[in-house]
Amino acid sequence: MPTMSKRMASIYAKILEVAYIYINFLSKEFRVLNLRSTQQREVKKRQYKKPDVAPPRTHKMATDQDWTAVWPGPRSFHPASVPLPIRQGYAEKGTAPSKLANAELMKIPNFLHLTPPAIKQQCEALKKFCTSWPKGLETAEKWKNHFPVDIVTTDHCQALPTIRNPEARRVTLSLKLTDLKFDAHARDKFLRLIGERYNRDTDLVTIVTDRCPLRKQNYEYAMYLLTACYHESFVTEPWEATKSEADMEYYHYYRNKSKESVEAILNWGKTPKTEDEKLKATNGFISSLEQLINEGENEYNLNKYKEEVIKMLNISGKVK
């Protein structure tokens, strides 16, 4: 028995020792094997704080502010700078998207920098570089006398990636034929050179150029065509002197044999001594005859020719 009690006592002692070690292990942190000589410190993660977003600028804008200071020049659309409820785009349901984060408004060009106050302010700044209006150009009639050539161009505004439009290169030049000085030969040749570009009702010569890619090039080409046709009309080729009456492009009274026939009828039975004493056709008869032959027979030309013949021959009676 004594021996058994000693054995049990030793077992209990070992159990108590193990329990004591286990309790001490639980009460302390687990030791880390550190192979470095320096001690490791705990690193805390840095916390980032988001800044407060300021309210849109439109909430602080005054109703009487200077808009030219807000939007002085051309730029892309910015929703926080425009105090207007603008919408742009398409939505399958509901209204169009608002101006906030709207790519459609940023893609297209805007004219917010060309408001009436901004234009007035820019004009006032440019006045010091301008000269007074020249004297002698107070009316449109005086303008036409000094500047007979009209140049018409067109600018296009479009919502495309490029502001250039192919139609903007077209240049239209127009002027009245009476503003150009011609003789009979030059006038006829000039009209034949320009062809359908001349309007007889308005007496306007119109030249449209769009062959070149740039507007300036088309303008210079139109001026070249006008200058070349004008100077070419005064050139007389050697073969033109050998043309007979049948080769003429149009009827001319003074170079036709009908002039001799008309004067012979008017001077029938008379013997004038000098050329000045001969009876000659009136200007009205000559113009009506040329118009009848060159333009063709119609009711107006025939009646006009009939009236002039009766006047020239001094035939009494009522014209029917």
Side-chain angles (χ1 to χ4, degrees), residues 3 5-6 34 41 56 71 82 84 107 134 148-149 156-157 165 174 187 189 213 217 224 266-267:
T3 55
S5 60
K6 290 182 180 180
N34 188 3
R41 296 180 181 179
W71 209 282
V82 181
L84 299 173
K107 288 191 297 184
V149 180
H156 298 265
C157 179
N165 191 295
S174 61
R187 177 186 172 88
K189 191 171 183 179
Q217 296 173 341
Y224 164 75
L266 294 176
N267 295 281

Side-chain angles (χ1 to χ4, degrees), residues 177 182 185-198 200 205-207 224-235 237 239-240:
L177 188 64
F182 292 112
H185 169 267
R187 177 186 172 88
D188 176 68
K189 191 171 183 179
F190 182 81
L191 293 178
R192 295 181 184 279
L193 287 174
I194 62 176
E196 298 179 354
R197 298 176 180 87
Y198 175 66
R200 296 184 181 274
V205 177
T206 305
I207 299 176
Y224 164 75
L225 291 178
L226 177 62
T227 305
C229 291
Y230 178 77
H231 290 287
E232 184 66 24
S233 62
F234 287 93
V235 177
E237 301 293 341
W239 55 267
E240 293 185 28

Side-chain angles (χ1 to χ4, degrees), residues 65 89 91 107 116 164 171 215 226 288 295 306 308-309:
Q65 66 177 343
K107 288 191 297 184
R164 294 186 178 273
V171 176
R215 178 186 297 176
L226 177 62
S288 62
E295 297 182 4
K306 180 179 179 181
E308 295 297 334
V309 170

Side-chain angles (χ1 to χ4, degrees), residues 243-280:
K243 291 169 60 177
S244 62
E245 183 179 344
D247 298 329
M248 296 301 174
E249 295 84 0
Y250 63 96
Y251 176 82
H252 188 65
Y253 174 78
Y254 290 100
R255 67 184 181 191
N256 198 278
K257 291 184 178 180
S258 59
K259 177 178 178 296
E260 301 176 2
S261 302
V262 172
E263 292 180 354
I265 295 173
L266 294 176
N267 295 281
W268 185 270
K270 299 178 182 180
T271 55
K273 297 180 180 180
T274 60
E275 189 69 22
D276 297 337
E277 294 180 358
K278 286 184 178 181
L279 296 178
K280 298 181 180 180

Side-chain angles (χ1 to χ4, degrees), residues 110-286:
N110 59 76
F111 295 92
L112 296 174
H113 62 288
L114 295 179
T115 56
I119 295 175
K120 184 178 180 181
Q121 183 179 358
Q122 294 173 7
C123 292
E124 292 294 335
L126 293 174
K127 274 187 178 181
K128 59 182 179 180
F129 302 105
C130 300
T131 58
S132 58
W133 187 260
K135 297 180 180 179
L137 298 177
E138 290 80 9
T139 60
E141 296 179 356
K142 295 181 180 180
W143 303 347
K144 290 293 183 181
N145 293 334
H146 292 83
F147 306 99
V149 180
D150 292 336
I151 302 295
V152 180
T153 58
T154 306
D155 294 322
H156 298 265
C157 179
Q158 56 188 5
L160 292 178
T162 175
I163 60 175
R164 294 186 178 273
N165 191 295
E167 299 297 328
R169 73 183 191 278
R170 182 175 289 107
V171 176
T172 303
L173 182 149
S174 61
L175 78 160
K176 286 191 174 182
L177 188 64
T178 53
D179 294 330
L180 300 176
K181 296 181 180 180
F182 292 112
D183 55 15
H185 169 267
R187 177 186 172 88
D188 176 68
K189 191 171 183 179
F190 182 81
L191 293 178
R192 295 181 184 279
L193 287 174
I194 62 176
E196 298 179 354
R197 298 176 180 87
Y198 175 66
N199 189 343
R200 296 184 181 274
D201 298 333
T202 59
D203 194 40
L204 281 177
V205 177
T206 305
I207 299 176
V208 181
T209 56
D210 57 356
R211 294 187 177 184
C212 301
L214 299 180
R215 178 186 297 176
K216 181 181 179 182
Q217 296 173 341
N218 286 313
Y219 167 75
E220 294 175 351
Y221 181 54
M223 296 300 296
Y224 164 75
L225 291 178
L226 177 62
T227 305
C229 291
Y230 178 77
H231 290 287
E232 184 66 24
S233 62
F234 287 93
V235 177
T236 303
E237 301 293 341
W239 55 267
E240 293 185 28
T242 61
K243 291 169 60 177
S244 62
E245 183 179 344
D247 298 329
M248 296 301 174
E249 295 84 0
Y250 63 96
Y251 176 82
H252 188 65
Y253 174 78
Y254 290 100
R255 67 184 181 191
N256 198 278
K257 291 184 178 180
S258 59
K259 177 178 178 296
E260 301 176 2
S261 302
V262 172
E263 292 180 354
I265 295 173
L266 294 176
N267 295 281
W268 185 270
K270 299 178 182 180
T271 55
K273 297 180 180 180
T274 60
E275 189 69 22
D276 297 337
E277 294 180 358
K278 286 184 178 181
L279 296 178
K280 298 181 180 180
T282 60
N283 294 331
F285 170 77
I286 295 173

